[in-house]
Amino acid sequence: MQRRHFLAAATSLAAAHPLARPAYAQGAAKVLRVIPAANLTSLDPIWTTAPATKNHGYLVYDQIAAVDAEFVPRPQMAEGWEIGDDGRSWTFMLREGLRFHDGEPVRSADCIASIRRWWARDVFGQVLASQTDDIEALDDRRFRFRLKRPFPMLAAALGKSNSSQCFIMPERIARTDPGQQITDPTGSGPFRFLREQWVAGVKAVYAKHEAYVPRSEPVSSIAGGRVARVDRIEWTVIPDAATAAAALRTGEQDYWDQAMHDLLPSLRRDRNIVVEPRDRSGTYAMLRFNHLQAPFNNPAIRQAVAMAVDQSQYMQAVAGNEPGAWGTCEGFFACSGPMASEAGNAVLKTRSIERAQAALRAAGYNGEKVVQIAATDSAPLTAVSEVTADLLRRMGFNLDYVASDWGSMLQRRNSREPVERGGWSVFHTVWNGADILSPAVNTLVRANGGAAWFGWPSDPELETLRNAWFEAPDLAGQQAVVQRLQEQAFRSMPYVPLGYYVQSAAWRRNVTGVFPVPTTVYWNIGKSD
């Protein structure tokens, strides 16, 4: 067997960002006070892909592997791994001293149960599951994958940064049905969740996990040492952007996850505040259809909507006219990545309400009620939702626009019922560029019916092409498959791409160690005196 500490992921970004490595103050206990982008409504990052839950997961859980700034998987909880039997055997060795927040050691059985729960829901994990004969515990620190055939992206799947991550939980928790939410937030990550202090819609509190032993390597994206530089992290939900900005200016708050675009110029003029994007791959907006219910169970009607979309209108609604703040990307994969393509996108380049109206009539729309669910406590989602509502009304849809808080919207999107019984027709979501780099990680191009992400598209041809992408021998082969896959996606329209914007965070200058990363993490961030 050949020992390997990492394998290159098949879909890597071109360049790594420079790392920030400042000195950190020592001494008295420190609290990092954060204004999160959205309310924490669920503690289960496997059950939901909601960004707030993902950010929560990165605090309280750890991963077996983690991708670095160039999307190369490195050992994280693992000390390393061995690959044998011509690529059909992967043996992972856990680092010594890993402990859960309840003091129990992390064992192979915990990892296996967590992997099985994760791959029941994650699109990349589902591919790994289909290639796996078994996962067996060799002892408390070693476990082995036995594969049907070589799967070089195994470590990349376990260590990916996009939703949903393979976070490791105690076996007793990981055995929870993947379709049911967990309520016990015990993990082994650098921070503990103080559940007794959690007030949904108001605050969430985390304390340093004193038994956590970080890796010694420098941080690189989500890989390397996940060091708790503060003793406590407090999230305070402040829905009003002006109030959030004022709290940052006065020092009542230290860090704002997603500073509003129209407030960025004034924040930049404040000498005590830093304004920078941490994720430079962009945040991509999408319009998702419910494929189970009329009228959007008709692909011709979905295509008619796409014909009316002008991405620049959506992105200006989010980010205004600030140079470099947004861009169009008329394809299903991140325009910053190697799978970007223009194939088949003529329907999205139509940009005509009149032609969309004609296409809607030709498709046989019969006045069915359309329920659009929208979040009111996320400024970008509110902005794109309002653009879509206006577009659908002008096209002639019988629209019911249902605005609610983020948590309520998430609960309603679970429903597969008709709109008359509490269901929905369309909603919006945003994903980081790293989340849609390729067919391996783009959750929204999965079209396996009831097992697909919310909206539940079913397209056997799209699934066949996605599987063919994994079989491609090299990058050129993958790109050739993506051309055909995207052409099919524009025929079946699992969702409508709406463009991307660059989201900036803002923090006080005494906040140290903020580093580039394609998601929101708070480890390695400290505060100077």
Side-chain angles (χ1 to χ4, degrees):
M1 289 192 288
Q2 179 184 4
R3 186 170 186 82
R4 301 180 184 177
H5 287 287
F6 60 87
L7 291 177
T11 55
S12 63
L13 288 177
H17 298 301
L19 300 179
R21 300 178 64 184
Y24 297 93
Q26 303 293 322
K30 290 184 172 63
V31 178
L32 182 69
R33 296 162 298 183
V34 172
I35 306 168
N39 178 28
L40 178 66
T41 59
S42 171
L43 303 180
D44 192 344
I46 306 302
W47 182 81
T48 181
T49 55
T53 304
K54 176 178 70 173
N55 301 345
H56 158 86
Y58 270 119
L59 285 169
V60 301
Y61 300 109
D62 211 344
Q63 296 167 277
I64 296 164
V67 295
D68 65 14
E70 295 192 29
F71 291 86
V72 176
R74 298 182 183 176
Q76 184 59 33
M77 296 174 76
E79 185 178 287
W81 51 81
E82 296 178 342
I83 305 171
D85 192 18
D86 295 324
R88 291 189 294 271
S89 170
W90 289 59
T91 302
F92 288 82
M93 168 72 82
L94 295 175
R95 291 192 286 135
E96 291 186 359
L98 299 177
R99 291 198 171 274
F100 288 111
H101 300 151
D102 59 7
E104 290 296 313
V106 178
R107 304 164 301 134
S108 295
D110 303 305
C111 296
I112 293 171
S114 297
I115 291 168
R116 292 188 181 280
R117 185 168 191 264
W118 160 75
W119 75 15
R121 295 185 67 95
D122 179 70
V123 294
F124 203 169
Q126 288 166 2
V127 177
L128 174 57
S130 71
Q131 302 299 314
T132 302
D133 275 332
D134 195 17
I135 318 176
E136 55 188 348
L138 304 181
D139 54 40
D140 279 351
R141 288 183 56 207
R142 293 183 304 148
F143 60 95
R144 177 181 296 156
F145 281 83
R146 290 193 291 106
L147 305 176
K148 295 180 172 67
R149 66 188 69 165
F151 191 72
M153 289 185 283
L154 191 155
L158 296 180
K160 66 193 184 80
S161 60
N162 62 292
S163 297
S164 64
Q165 295 78 11
C166 183
F167 289 130
I168 302 306
M169 305 173 178
E171 181 184 18
R172 59 182 174 81
I173 299 173
R175 288 190 176 277
T176 303
D177 185 324
Q180 301 295 320
Q181 294 188 66
I182 64 167
T183 57
D184 185 338
T186 301
S188 65
F191 289 89
R192 297 180 294 108
F193 182 63
L194 304 185
R195 199 179 193 286
E196 69 281 3
Q197 297 185 35
W198 178 35
V199 181
V202 179
K203 70 174 183 177
V205 183
Y206 303 83
K208 181 178 180 179
H209 175 29
E210 297 292 347
Y212 184 77
V213 180
R215 298 193 67 88
S216 59
E217 299 92 341
V219 65
S220 176
S221 186
I222 64 166
R226 299 181 176 184
V227 182
R229 300 288 188 185
V230 293
D231 299 283
R232 184 178 170 97
I233 295 175
E234 297 179 356
W235 290 3
T236 301
V237 179
I238 305 179
D240 181 71
T243 304
L248 191 66
R249 288 192 182 98
T250 61
E252 178 185 335
Q253 297 292 322
D254 302 308
Y255 183 100
W256 189 5
D257 272 358
Q258 294 187 5
M260 279 285 293
H261 283 86
D262 59 351
L263 295 174
L264 296 183
S266 63
L267 289 173
R268 289 192 180 104
R269 289 194 292 269
D270 191 320
R271 61 186 296 180
N272 295 313
I273 293 175
V274 178
V275 178
E276 288 183 10
R278 296 184 70 184
D279 175 18
R280 300 180 186 275
S281 67
T283 300
Y284 287 73
M286 295 96 163
L287 170 62
R288 184 69 161 183
F289 302 105
N290 186 335
H291 294 243
L292 300 181
Q293 310 293 346
F296 296 119
N297 58 352
N298 182 344
I301 291 179
R302 300 195 296 268
Q303 286 186 322
V305 174
M307 293 172 69
V309 165
D310 182 340
Q311 289 190 348
S312 63
Q313 293 178 353
Y314 278 91
M315 293 302 100
Q316 285 174 342
V318 173
N321 293 311
E322 184 179 0
W326 60 269
T328 59
C329 184
E330 291 167 322
F332 287 93
F333 302 101
C335 283
S336 58
M339 298 298 133
S341 173
E342 292 276 309
N345 68 359
V347 66
L348 199 52
K349 290 180 176 292
T350 307
R351 309 185 193 109
S352 168
I353 285 286
E354 292 75 18
R355 291 182 62 182
Q357 290 171 332
L360 185 62
R361 290 192 295 270
Y365 175 63
N366 197 32
E368 296 95 340
K369 183 178 180 181
V370 168
V371 172
Q372 179 184 346
I373 54 175
T376 58
D377 45 0
S378 168
L381 289 177
T382 298
V384 296
S385 295
E386 290 174 351
V387 174
T388 290
D390 177 66
L391 180 150
L392 294 178
R393 290 190 179 106
R394 286 192 290 147
M395 284 185 66
F397 283 101
N398 173 20
L399 181 68
D400 182 9
Y401 185 79
V402 180
S404 65
D405 63 273
W406 174 249
S408 298
M409 194 207 80
L410 290 182
Q411 290 299 322
R412 183 158 184 173
R413 80 175 183 184
N414 290 327
S415 174
R416 306 190 188 201
E417 294 292 331
V419 295
E420 294 79 13
R421 296 204 295 268
W424 57 274
S425 306
V426 294
F427 76 94
H428 291 84
T429 183
V430 294
W431 295 68
N432 296 336
D435 295 339
I436 60 168
L437 275 177
S438 76
V441 296
N442 188 339
T443 298
L444 279 76
V445 297
R446 192 79 202 268
N448 53 336
W453 197 69
F454 305 101
W456 310 286
S458 179
D459 183 345
E461 177 63 18
L462 199 56
E463 284 292 289
T464 297
L465 289 166
R466 182 175 175 273
N467 292 336
W469 184 88
F470 284 98
E471 300 294 331
D474 52 27
L475 178 60
Q478 290 175 338
Q479 290 171 331
V481 173
V482 159
Q483 299 283 313
R484 295 160 52 209
L485 187 153
Q486 181 159 287
E487 289 170 354
Q488 178 61 25
F490 274 114
R491 285 190 285 268
S492 67
M493 264 309 160
Y495 67 94
V496 182
L498 302 177
Y500 70 91
Y501 58 93
V502 179
Q503 179 65 61
S504 290
W507 59 90
R508 304 280 302 176
R509 285 201 180 274
N510 67 327
V511 173
T512 60
V514 181
F515 59 96
V517 66
T519 187
T520 301
V521 297
Y522 307 98
W523 19 264
N524 285 66
I525 297 178
K527 288 175 67 175
S528 62
D529 293 332

